[in-house]
Amino acid sequence: MSVQQYDLIGEAFEGFKALPLTRYGEVPSVLGLVGDVRGRSVLDLACGTGFYSRELRRRGAADVLGVDISTEMVAAARSFEERDPLGVRYEVGDVAELRELERKFDVALAVQCLNYAEDRAALDRMCRTIHRSLLPGGELVVFAQKPDYAFDCLTLEQYGFRCEPTGEQGEIGPRVRVTALLDPRPISILGTVPRREVYEEALRAAGFTGLEWVPLRISEEGLREYGEEFWADVLAHPPLEMLRCRA
């Protein structure tokens, strides 16, 4: 499902990072949870056009490998690398079928990745391959739609997105359509929202421990730029959440 969707988006995916919820919510939340990467190795799963791969490399990561199932996304990421060489490597790969890599990593980042599992078997395979790719004690950081989001952020569009249930129920959770309100053309993506217990069971079965759910936060820059009242609805009804655990 996700391959064809993202192949059609390509480099336009970078526009997501300029939308208010992404710029002042997702990005600072993810980077804050990953923390200090100086001298550490990072595996960026579902890396897209390489936004986080590049940013973590700039922040001192010793080695960064970005993996994405979409050939067009990887081509865009490599194009960014050619224009501004940072030493980030990229390859096309399905996280559920990820090859055994030449090295194990200190950190794995999965931003909007596990929620593309079609069923529990695929999610289990994803979690096992990620665990296999980490050093003992290595950390996995997941960013995805909040499992029990009630679609009750009434002003979500002012933050740059629309999120709608499709009415379909998959094995691991409901199907949703997320639309990034980009100018001049909005981009919609279909995905699944795994239930909270499904995430936890799959990760623990793969060998992960110390699971911790972490709420979305808005950066100080975002609060200054728009004011606290602007963010009140999305903080009261957050559509996104993070999860971290250790191999």
Side-chain angles (χ1 to χ4, degrees):
M1 176 176 64
S2 59
V3 183
Q4 295 87 348
Q5 295 183 99
Y6 283 99
D7 278 348
L8 293 172
I9 297 171
E11 200 165 306
F13 189 66
E14 285 288 300
F16 282 55
K17 297 297 185 279
L19 298 173
L21 184 57
T22 310
R23 180 176 180 181
Y24 298 113
E26 174 197 314
V27 172
S29 294
V30 168
L31 294 175
L33 193 57
V34 172
D36 187 357
V37 293
R38 287 175 294 182
R40 307 182 80 195
S41 55
V42 178
L43 177 61
D44 185 9
L45 300 159
C47 68
T49 53
F51 176 87
Y52 286 109
S53 298
R54 297 192 302 275
E55 184 60 30
L56 293 171
R57 179 67 170 154
R58 291 189 188 104
R59 290 175 177 233
D63 181 32
V64 180
L65 172 63
V67 177
D68 199 279
I69 196 170
S70 166
T71 55
E72 292 300 320
M73 286 290 183
V74 170
R78 287 172 174 162
S79 177
F80 281 113
E81 175 66 21
E82 289 172 5
R83 282 177 263 169
D84 180 18
L86 296 169
V88 179
R89 298 174 293 124
Y90 298 100
E91 67 176 63
V92 177
D94 181 347
V95 175
E97 309 295 340
L98 189 63
R99 68 180 180 86
E100 190 158 356
L101 302 172
E102 290 79 10
R103 66 166 302 169
K104 295 184 185 294
F105 292 80
D106 296 301
V107 179
L109 177 61
V111 173
Q112 303 291 15
C113 172
L114 300 183
N115 49 303
Y116 288 110
E118 293 286 346
D119 51 33
R120 176 59 191 269
L123 182 61
D124 285 343
R125 291 196 302 274
M126 284 182 169
C127 293
R128 286 197 299 268
T129 59
I130 296 171
H131 188 275
R132 183 188 68 199
S133 302
L134 284 168
L135 290 162
E139 188 169 42
L140 167 63
V141 172
V142 175
F143 182 87
Q145 188 165 332
K146 187 177 180 181
D148 44 13
Y149 176 54
F151 303 95
D152 53 354
C153 182
L154 301 179
T155 61
L156 188 58
E157 291 192 13
Q158 78 177 5
Y159 309 114
F161 289 91
R162 186 182 303 125
C163 185
E164 307 158 298
T166 66
E168 299 173 272
Q169 185 71 29
E171 179 189 348
I172 59 176
R175 309 284 192 196
V176 297
R177 178 180 294 102
V178 175
T179 302
L181 302 176
L182 299 174
D183 185 26
R185 184 174 64 88
I187 294 175
S188 292
I189 298 170
L190 290 169
T192 300
V193 184
R195 296 182 296 278
R196 196 174 297 271
E197 68 272 16
V198 171
Y199 273 121
E200 294 176 355
E201 290 168 4
L203 288 164
R204 289 193 176 106
F208 286 99
T209 60
L211 276 67
E212 178 188 4
W213 291 94
V214 181
L216 179 79
R217 70 177 184 86
I218 302 300
S219 68
E220 291 298 324
E221 183 184 0
L223 293 172
R224 288 195 303 271
E225 181 75 16
Y226 289 93
E228 292 186 13
E229 186 175 344
F230 175 84
W231 299 105
D233 192 18
V234 78
L235 290 175
H237 309 98
L240 301 160
E241 195 169 14
M242 297 180 292
L243 171 64
R244 66 177 169 190
C245 51
R246 291 197 175 276

